[in-house]
Amino acid sequence: MQTVAHTLPDEPSQLHGIIHQLVEQLAQSEQQRAEQTERLEQQATTLAQHRTYIDQLLETIELLRRKRFGPSTDQIPDSQLALFDETELEALIGELEEALARETPPETHDTDEPPKTKAKRKPVRRRLPSHLPRVERLLDLPEAIKAAMGEDWRFIGYDSAEQLAVIPRQYDVIEYKRAKYVPINDAVPGAEVGVKIAPRPASIIPKSLAHSSLIAQIVTHQFVDALPLYRQEQLFAREGIELSRQTMAGLLIGLNDPLQPVAAALKGLLTQGPVVHIDETPLQVLDEPGRDPTQPSYMWAFCGGPPGIAIRWFEYAPSRGAEVPRRVLFPSDADPASPFYLQSDGYSAYQVLATAPEIIDHAGCWAHVRRKFVEAASGRNTSAAQQMVALIGELYAVERRVRESDAATRQRERNAHSRPILMRIRRWLDKAAARAAPKSLLGQAIHYSLGQWPILITFLEDGHLEVDNNRAENAIRPFVVGRKNWLFAGSPKGAETSALLYSLVETAKANGLEPWAYLNHLFEHLPAAKTPEAIAALLPHNLKMDDLNQQPSIR
């Protein structure tokens, strides 16, 4: 058998040629292997990107499913608790047990008997509101049974039980009969006048068929109960009353001009406190000049007022730019506002507004941060998101303890207890930012939190500030609920009227007044209020429910 060496040529030139070919083949093989390795790496990268994209899509699908079908609260689903790592779960249980041991005093027993299990409290029916009138119905045994009982039994009293009843709403027609007088002859002084007739009673909408109580009911149904006008029209029809939605819309629009003095007085108080909260939400207005009906407009909500006085102001605007809140807070025809804090979510327009010289500093909203991590807890990185939700929960635990305290106490307690929690949160965010995929729900939540960090810690500066912007969100929520029913405003004038009426009812609610009672009082007395002092007396914070309950009967 011949070896390879026996088959090689003897000529050096031929050997060089063979060696050159082998070197080329080896180089080609190396190049092919390098290309194959590069293709495999590219495929692995693409596969990883696809997996990440699939994870993001799954997170988004789960988030949309929860938003569509799940509860609307910022709570982590109970099913997610099973996804804790065992170590984290044991640590959490240990922390809870330690906290429970610190808060629960040890029980002492005089005997060696084991402590008895605490019995569950049975539900107790609460007494119905005391301000409601009582109608007594005396129930007794049948006469035959009482006769059989004879003299062996004696009456000792009654056993009482209550039921809440309703009397159907009653509509009255107030017929005004105005006295008329004529002179007995032409020689009577002033006889040239002819007939003298008693003046009409002052009305917020002159010559209207609707009494102030009815107008107050229409406003309350629409702007408090989110009952659109077409449904109110149906309710009136069931009572045999023909009151069209067009007529009711005309009544609401007719309130705009008479209510302007009250609106100006409310708006003037908005910036006279230490903090102003702002939020905004889309609104579709159909008949805006120069704009397509599909273009969104906005309803802005402002919460402020002097200490102890709650002011809620709503402003309609076709824009979402910073010029809208700037125009509301710093009108050109008013004296310069006293410095105050701005509190809002992270929308960029508020960052522009915060540069105004009248604003001390800008405070952010931890509720928005928590909401993003709750959403992330529905995705793939549930454990990490739940860790942040728990940390934010510690912040809110401090807030619950100091909620009723004065501003100085709140600031002191926050610096003692909230500041260390914030330091832990920041360390967690910095560490987690390097591990989370930027486009995942967790990555987006972390990125948002880090971007908002300077305004998220502002609430430590002043005890008047809140940990979140829920005050403005709660004020604008009734508008959002109502928008689901009536969908859009028909014109800018209608949107402006809606903003004004929302300002009145939400300010009334914030000052502890029942909206219908306040509106009825306002509409009844406003026509006679001719001075700034009389207007101020009709503002919600200057009234109590006792004042509103003393309304004279329309009968």
Side-chain angles (χ1 to χ4, degrees):
M1 181 177 178
Q2 291 183 334
T3 63
V4 176
H6 291 160
T7 62
L8 292 175
D10 295 331
E11 292 292 330
S13 59
Q14 294 179 348
L15 288 173
H16 281 295
I18 293 173
I19 293 172
H20 181 70
Q21 291 177 0
L22 292 174
V23 171
E24 287 183 347
Q25 292 175 1
L26 182 61
Q28 291 176 357
S29 298
E30 291 294 337
Q31 183 178 359
Q32 291 174 356
R33 280 197 296 271
E35 292 175 352
Q36 185 177 12
T37 301
E38 184 178 358
R39 285 196 301 270
L40 291 174
E41 291 176 351
Q42 291 177 350
Q43 291 175 355
T45 303
T46 303
L47 182 60
Q49 292 173 347
H50 287 171
R51 287 175 176 170
T52 302
Y53 185 57
I54 290 172
D55 288 344
Q56 294 170 7
L57 291 178
L58 291 174
E59 285 185 333
T60 303
I61 292 171
E62 177 62 20
L63 177 60
L64 293 175
R65 185 191 67 79
R66 285 191 59 210
K67 286 186 175 181
R68 177 65 179 85
F69 301 106
S72 58
T73 55
D74 293 341
Q75 295 180 353
I76 300 173
D78 292 339
S79 59
Q80 297 296 332
L81 295 178
L83 300 179
F84 267 105
D85 291 340
E86 183 178 0
T87 303
E88 295 169 338
L89 182 58
E90 292 297 334
L92 178 60
I93 292 174
E95 292 175 1
L96 293 175
E97 289 177 343
E98 290 178 3
L100 184 62
R102 289 194 301 268
E103 296 176 0
T104 305
E107 296 185 2
T108 57
H109 303 280
D110 297 334
T111 66
D112 295 334
E113 296 180 2
K116 296 181 179 180
T117 303
K118 186 177 181 180
K120 289 186 177 180
R121 294 179 59 185
K122 294 183 178 180
V124 178
R125 177 180 295 182
R126 295 183 179 180
R127 182 174 173 81
L128 294 172
S130 59
H131 69 273
L132 298 179
R134 259 58 180 178
V135 178
E136 287 189 353
R137 292 188 178 180
L138 301 180
L139 306 178
D140 205 344
L141 296 174
E143 290 298 328
I145 295 178
K146 290 171 64 177
M149 291 163 53
E151 300 295 331
D152 297 332
W153 297 78
R154 64 185 177 90
F155 174 75
I156 61 172
Y158 291 99
D159 180 73
S160 297
E162 293 183 333
Q163 282 187 328
L164 183 64
V166 58
I167 299 175
R169 182 182 294 274
Q170 180 173 336
Y171 293 91
D172 292 335
V173 176
I174 303 177
E175 184 178 359
Y176 294 101
K177 292 189 174 182
R178 300 160 61 198
K180 299 189 295 184
Y181 299 87
V182 296
I184 57 176
N185 56 55
D186 293 342
V188 174
E192 67 277 2
V193 177
V195 178
K196 286 187 177 181
I197 186 170
R200 294 177 179 271
S203 176
I204 191 164
I205 303 180
K207 300 183 180 181
S208 169
L209 62 82
H211 186 261
S212 59
S213 58
L214 179 63
I215 301 175
Q217 175 184 303
I218 295 172
V219 174
T220 303
H221 279 342
Q222 167 122 9
F223 297 99
V224 179
D225 304 325
L227 196 63
L229 295 182
Y230 79 89
R231 292 185 187 172
Q232 296 192 52
E233 181 182 15
Q234 295 170 353
L235 293 178
F236 284 117
R238 293 209 300 264
E239 301 288 343
I241 302 172
E242 293 185 8
L243 191 59
S244 69
R245 69 193 77 174
Q246 291 80 12
T247 300
M248 289 185 282
L251 292 173
L252 298 181
I253 295 294
L255 292 171
N256 200 326
D257 291 340
L259 290 175
Q260 287 306 311
V262 179
L266 274 182
K267 190 176 179 181
L269 294 172
L270 181 63
T271 58
Q272 293 186 15
V275 186
V276 174
H277 296 252
I278 312 181
D279 198 9
E280 86 294 329
T281 190
L283 166 67
Q284 186 176 357
V285 180
L286 297 184
D287 192 19
E288 289 182 300
R291 285 168 59 89
D292 190 275
T294 59
Q295 287 184 272
S297 296
Y298 293 89
M299 187 68 78
W300 296 73
F302 301 80
C303 301
I309 298 176
I311 302 296
R312 305 289 183 262
W313 180 260
F314 286 73
E315 183 84 5
Y316 149 74
S319 168
R320 200 188 179 200
E323 69 275 3
V324 177
R326 183 181 290 113
R327 182 181 69 245
V328 173
L329 298 176
F330 314 118
S332 57
D333 57 348
D335 295 332
S338 301
F340 59 87
Y341 282 94
L342 170 68
Q343 187 142 25
S344 71
D345 57 29
Y347 176 45
S348 58
Y350 299 127
Q351 299 173 11
V352 176
L353 178 65
T355 60
E358 297 87 350
I359 292 180
I360 302 171
D361 205 346
H362 185 194
C365 178
W366 275 100
H368 276 72
V369 175
R370 179 178 59 187
R371 195 169 302 148
K372 290 183 179 297
F373 281 99
V374 168
E375 292 174 354
S378 302
R380 317 291 286 183
N381 297 303
T382 57
S383 177
Q386 288 167 353
Q387 291 176 14
M388 177 53 64
V389 172
L391 286 171
I392 297 175
E394 294 183 28
L395 275 182
Y396 276 87
V398 176
E399 293 302 309
R400 285 192 294 271
R401 293 199 303 270
V402 301
R403 181 169 297 155
E404 303 301 327
S405 303
D406 59 84
T409 302
R410 281 156 62 98
Q411 183 179 7
R412 184 173 61 252
E413 291 296 308
R414 285 170 174 172
N415 278 291
H417 303 289
S418 299
R419 189 179 293 275
I421 299 172
L422 290 170
M423 294 174 63
R424 290 163 54 202
I425 290 176
R426 182 56 194 254
R427 288 195 297 268
W428 188 96
L429 290 171
D430 291 336
K431 185 177 179 181
R435 299 195 304 263
K439 293 186 178 181
S440 66
L441 292 178
L442 179 61
Q444 293 177 30
I446 294 172
H447 177 75
Y448 177 85
S449 304
L450 291 174
Q452 296 291 308
W453 189 257
I455 66 174
L456 288 175
I457 61 175
T458 305
F459 76 101
L460 297 174
E461 296 179 7
D462 194 308
H464 292 99
L465 291 165
E466 300 292 337
V467 73
D468 53 39
N469 196 39
N470 283 352
R471 181 171 297 175
E473 291 195 8
N474 291 337
I476 209 170
R477 185 171 291 114
F479 172 83
V480 175
V481 173
R483 183 184 58 195
K484 295 179 180 178
N485 291 332
W486 41 260
L487 300 179
F488 54 81
S491 66
K493 189 71 171 179
E496 291 171 0
T497 303
S498 296
L500 174 53
L501 293 174
Y502 269 113
S503 300
L504 290 176
V505 297
E506 289 303 316
T507 301
K509 288 161 58 178
N511 286 276
L513 303 181
E514 194 279 316
W516 178 87
Y518 170 69
L519 293 175
N520 183 42
H521 178 90
L522 175 65
F523 297 164
E524 188 74 18
H525 292 84
L526 182 59
K530 303 300 183 182
T531 64
E533 292 76 17
I535 296 294
L538 295 175
L539 298 182
H541 62 272
N542 289 325
L543 293 167
K544 303 295 182 184
M545 280 303 301
D546 291 341
D547 304 323
L548 308 183
N549 291 333
Q550 295 175 1
Q551 294 295 315
S553 173
I554 65 174
R555 296 196 178 114

